[in-house]
Amino acid sequence: MSATDAYEAKAKNILKSELKRRGITYAQLAEKLAAFGATENERNLANKISRGSFTAAFFMMCMDAIGANNVNLEA
């Protein structure tokens, strides 16, 4: 177990929670990210988010794309 495993799981859970809260699917997220120049498809997003080993920049781009201005770090 690496020192960052718990934080990767937390970031994954926060992102998934925010998507669910807004009723946004991975396909819809892919469309929203395309507006930011990202070339992710639904399957890639599902895999990336499932692993939880994405960058802070990716996390921030997703939050921006779905309109999440505030994030609860307790998720």
Side-chain angles (χ1 to χ4, degrees):
M1 182 172 206
S2 80
T4 61
D5 284 350
Y7 292 101
E8 289 174 357
K10 193 171 189 177
K12 170 180 70 171
N13 290 336
I14 290 170
L15 179 51
K16 288 173 85 172
S17 293
E18 292 298 325
L19 291 170
K20 185 171 186 170
R21 183 174 291 121
R22 289 166 173 75
I24 297 172
T25 65
Y26 291 139
Q28 291 168 323
L29 178 59
E31 289 176 18
K32 291 177 181 296
L33 289 173
F36 290 83
T39 57
E40 300 281 352
N41 65 38
E42 180 180 2
R43 185 179 249 356
N44 289 350
L45 285 172
N47 289 334
K48 183 182 280 195
I49 294 169
S50 177
R51 283 191 309 271
S53 57
F54 42 80
T55 66
F58 173 79
F59 178 82
M60 295 298 296
M61 186 186 299
C62 289
M63 293 293 108
D64 203 17
I66 66 173
N69 298 319
N70 298 303
V71 178
N72 182 355
L73 297 180
E74 297 299 318

